[in-house]
Each structure stands twice: as structure tokens, then as C-alpha cells.
Amino acid sequence: MTGAGGSAGGGEGHGKRPPIIVVLGVSGSGKTTFGQAVAVDLGLAFVEGDDFHPASNIAKMTAGHALDDADRAPWLRALSDRIRRSAEAREGLVVACSALKRAYREEFREAGGPALRYLYLALDRATARDRVSRRTGHFMPARLVDSQFETLEPLERDEPGMTLDATAGLPVNLARVRAAVERCAGRPGP
């Protein structure tokens, strides 16, 4: 899977390494639900990125304040360490996390190496706000959705992965991911 347009390619290392997949997008895009489904479908472990936030980040977001790069630094380190452990053990992994900026994704890429791929769940602001306002039991208030869009740097064509329509439905997106992973796995690796 390479390029934001969703074309599969570049089996770089996939022939010998199970994939490490980061499911990214703004709050309300369905990262957790989709990430869990991808993990089950591909037989990989699943990690929820929110579980790696320090308590101070959760408290700040619960109070309605957006995180800045300094707040995100320990979270990024912890997630990168988890990704690195899976890469070193040659274990597949699916991580659901916002990964809103390219710099954050580059940190994950360094940790995960050639097996790492991104799945960006693209969603418009109105739908994201609506979804977040209707969910219960989550620390992220709907009023912070706009700050996520202000921070968001969508997946770029040179980043390994694909962009998916977050409103397309789980079966459609799972089929696209499965087909892309199969194409990548069929290519010779180093």
C-alpha cells in the first residue's frame, strides 16, 4: 500500500515481515472500530493509541483544551516504542491513533521500518462533529474537533499507505485493505 490515492504497491519488506498498520484520522473518523476490524481480519495484534496518553493529556482534552506538540511528545514516544518492539520482533500490529501531522507519522515510520503502512480515514468536519457529539464514554469533546482539522496534515502521496473514505462502510474499506495487503505480500521482499 503506497500513496494517499489508495493504490497498492511497494512490497518493501512485506514478503518477510507482517505489516504494522497505523489507522489515522481526526476524532470521530472511526479509527478504533476500523483498526480492530483490520486487526481481526489480518490476524494482527491491536493497540489503541489513546491508551498511551499520559493522564495529563486526558485531563487537558476532557477540559476542552487541545493538545500541543509538547503535550503529544510523551504519547508519541510511548507509541513509537510499542511500534518499534513489534517491528524488532517481526510481529504484525495495528495501531489506531490520530497521527495528525506528518512529523508524527515520520516518527512512527522510523520506529516501524519498511513494514509500516498508514490507513487514513478521511472525514469532513460536519460528520466528525456529529459523530463525536453522539458518542458516550470518551474524553474527547466535540468542541475539539475543529482543532484536530486545524492540525491535520492529510496523508501525502509519498507516504506508504492509502486514504479511505471514513463514511464508505466497514465492509467496503476492509475489502480495499485486504486486497492491498495481499498485493503487497505477493511481491518479493529483500
Side-chain angles (χ1 to χ4, degrees):
M1 298 181 284
T2 61
S7 61
E12 180 186 359
H14 265 5
K16 297 180 182 178
R17 293 178 185 258
I20 296 174
I21 299 171
V22 176
V23 179
L24 67 107
V26 297
S27 190
S29 61
K31 297 178 297 288
T32 300
T33 300
F34 187 62
Q36 288 171 333
V38 169
V40 168
D41 194 59
L42 299 178
L44 304 174
F46 174 77
V47 169
E48 170 55 63
D50 286 343
D51 295 343
F52 289 74
H53 275 295
S56 58
N57 283 5
I58 302 294
K60 187 172 183 177
M61 288 183 281
T62 300
H65 303 289
L67 300 180
D68 59 27
D69 285 345
D71 296 321
R72 289 186 183 102
W75 171 74
L76 288 168
R77 272 192 308 275
L79 267 175
S80 293
D81 288 345
R82 177 61 177 91
I83 289 168
R84 186 174 292 104
R85 286 193 306 273
S86 287
E88 288 171 353
R90 293 181 176 254
E91 296 171 347
L93 180 67
V94 177
V95 178
C97 70
S98 54
L100 298 174
K101 288 186 178 182
R102 182 177 178 129
Y104 309 159
R105 297 189 297 269
E106 289 298 324
E107 190 168 329
F108 295 153
R109 182 84 173 138
E110 287 178 24
L116 189 130
R117 299 290 184 267
Y118 304 109
L119 298 176
Y120 167 46
L121 295 173
L123 188 66
D124 65 85
R125 283 182 197 242
T127 305
R129 271 193 230 106
D130 180 58
R131 286 181 176 185
V132 172
S133 69
R134 288 187 288 118
R135 71 182 177 192
T136 59
H138 195 278
F139 59 83
M140 180 76 164
R143 66 182 174 271
L144 288 183
V145 168
D146 284 336
S147 72
Q148 290 218 320
F149 277 94
E150 291 163 12
T151 302
L152 176 65
E153 296 172 1
L155 194 65
E156 296 179 31
R157 295 194 77 67
D158 64 330
E159 293 182 273
M162 61 195 307
T163 296
L164 301 164
D165 178 353
T167 64
L170 192 58
V172 170
N173 283 333
L174 270 179
R176 287 190 65 203
V177 170
R178 189 180 311 113
V181 168
E182 288 171 1
R183 283 191 299 270
C184 287
R187 294 174 189 219

